[in-house]
Amino acid sequence: MNVTTENEITATAAFDVMRYRADFPILGRHVHITSKSPGRQLVYLDNGATTQKPQQVIDAITHYYSHYNANIHRGVHALSQEASAAYEAARETVAHFVNAASAQEIIFTRGTTESVNLVAHAWLRSRLNAGDEVLITAMEHHSNIVPWQLVCEEKGATLKVVPVNDNGELDYEAAAALLTSRTKLFAFTHVSNTLGTVNDVQRLTAMAHAQHIPVLVDGAQAAPHLRINVQELGCDFYCFSAHKTYGPTGIGMLYVRGELMREMQPYQGGGGIISHVTFEKTTFVEGPLRFEAGTPNIEGAIGFAAALDYMNAVGLPAITAHEHDLLTYTTAQLEQIEGMRIIGTAPCKAGVISFVVGNLHPYDVGTILDQQGVAVRTGHHCTQPLMQRFGVPGTVRVSFGLYNTRSDADQFITALHKALKMLA
Amino acid sequence: MSIHEEEQEIIGEFEMFDQWDDKYQYLIDMGKSLTPLSEQFKTDDRLIRGCQSRVWLHSELKDGKVIFAADSDAIITKGIVALMVRVLSGHTPKEITEAQLPFIDTIGLKEHLSPTRANGLVAMIKQMKMDALALQAKVS
């Protein structure tokens, strides 16, 4: 995928980042305020962990609780009907955001992690037998490793792993060889949370589908940065979390392509998912509600939709281009630093830059950056096998959001120089 | 020097620093000056749980006093470890287990640490006290 088409470059020029920044109240705050110090202006570069929320999202949640809080899909009264309508409208918004064929293909979950677990238990578990295989890649987040590992252990199946090369790109030929008649599912990330590598989902999906192997795509790090079109990608399952796309925590989505949802068993039992219960037998409703037992995260769904509306209003191509500019601008400055090793140098990257400097511990660098108001992530980023692959205990990771500026990047670089000087 | 006197001395040293970077530079320098733990002691059973960076603690009893040696793969953590070793090493198990360590709050060590590091510091102190108790039990 080429993310710098001519249209998108034009979009960058017109991107009024200061206007969008004003929508995020938290970006104005200072950190490390003490009796002696006014603190430091926050430079938030940990968007890969979670994004900040625009006022529009905060208002949507407040408005729900102030005006139409009620349980959904149960009450005959006006508030319940308004809340139910808003919850289902949110499902439509999510479906539209990923270009699903229907809102009935969207299940609300607690986030990407629950989405993966849901597929592991509600879909894969009953299909997996001893000797079968689940294929993942070496760049997966723990949440796209462990759920499969647990089911494989239980069933006597094997987890297979597509390797990555020194640039942090998948070995597509190895993937082709690892997809066999034993493979029951191919699960991989769209964008690596540690390396920033954008994987060719269409190509990988086509390879799997040629052998009738279903595909799950972890979109947690892609949805904030790239336009997602599940029909074009062709995958069977796609998931991401709202809190990484400027929405609230505790809610996310799972897209399940068409007829596949009918092959899934209920994941958790409870209210709201049944059509009839006796002590002998329970029959379940059809569609996504079947997988949303209990009172769901209603304000979460409403906030999620408000966040996606916000991203749509800003415009995905413009966001992609703006963040790509920040990525190349910052990378160029990092490359000037002696001893710098950027982990993840694929030509097509989105959102994040991971690095180590000399033999400095990422925690030390992160701590000194933090004291200067610069928020980054340090550690293994829940990708320990990938850290082993690159022979580092962890990295410092800067990750961009639509509200970041070149000035943020400059302040980060200045703070980094100070950290390196202190730690030298 | 007693534990209390050692604490007072550190408080005095920290009082000279107005700026955050001076405090951190001090911790970094303390970390660099701490005698590295011999590789044979960097074993998993000497790792302190609760620290994000790796911290090893080796304890032994010498003439009734506990001698601590410690190390970390992160230099700021190592500086904090060095402070703790400086305060607690060379004292009796009883003195160590009873030490309240008010200097930690006085110099604002916790507020300059991220919560995970602050938890790591708590884990570190707990381990030092437990080691002291265990060494005492061995002798008596």
Side-chain angles (χ1 to χ4, degrees), chain A residues 32 34 36 40 359 361-365 367-368 370-372 378-379 393 418 421-424, chain B residues 17-18 20-22 24-25 28-29 32 52-54 73-77 111-114 117:
Chain A
H32 298 303
T34 65
K36 287 180 192 161
R40 308 296 289 249
N359 55 5
H361 200 291
Y363 290 126
D364 288 326
V365 178
T367 301
I368 304 293
D370 171 59
Q371 284 297 317
Q372 299 173 82
T378 63
K418 167 115 184 166
K421 198 172 154 208
M422 284 179 71
L423 293 164
Chain B
F17 309 134
D18 284 339
W20 70 271
D21 42 355
D22 293 333
Y24 272 89
Q25 196 64 62
I28 290 163
D29 295 342
K32 284 179 181 162
Q52 278 208 24
S53 44
R54 293 192 294 173
D73 52 358
I75 198 72
I76 295 169
T77 313
E111 72 193 48
H112 275 282
L113 301 173
S114 64
R117 272 181 204 262

Side-chain angles (χ1 to χ4, degrees), chain A residues 119 123-124 148 185 214-218 230 234-239 254-257 260-261 264:
Chain A
V119 174
W123 186 82
L124 179 68
W148 311 121
L185 182 76
V215 164
L216 176 139
V217 180
D218 168 0
V230 288
C235 57
D236 302 283
F237 304 99
Y238 194 97
C239 50
L254 171 66
Y255 157 81
V256 182
R257 187 177 53 77
L260 267 169
M261 202 181 287
M264 291 163 62

Side-chain angles (χ1 to χ4, degrees), chain A residues 199-237:
Chain A
N199 290 322
D200 189 340
V201 175
Q202 267 178 294
R203 182 175 168 194
L204 292 165
T205 302
M207 279 160 48
H209 281 181
Q211 301 196 59
H212 308 289
I213 298 163
V215 164
L216 176 139
V217 180
D218 168 0
Q221 295 292 337
H225 308 298
L226 310 170
R227 181 176 292 293
I228 308 301
N229 183 339
V230 288
Q231 295 190 69
E232 203 173 274
L233 295 174
C235 57
D236 302 283
F237 304 99

Side-chain angles (χ1 to χ4, degrees), chain A residues 32 35 39 44 61 108 139 167 191 206 211 214 216 256 274 281 306 322 330 337 358 386:
Chain A
H32 298 303
S35 54
Y44 190 76
I61 295 168
F108 282 123
M139 64 169 79
N167 291 330
V191 173
Q211 301 196 59
L216 176 139
V256 182
I274 48 90
K281 175 83 185 157
H322 172 67
T330 309
I337 293 172
L386 191 62

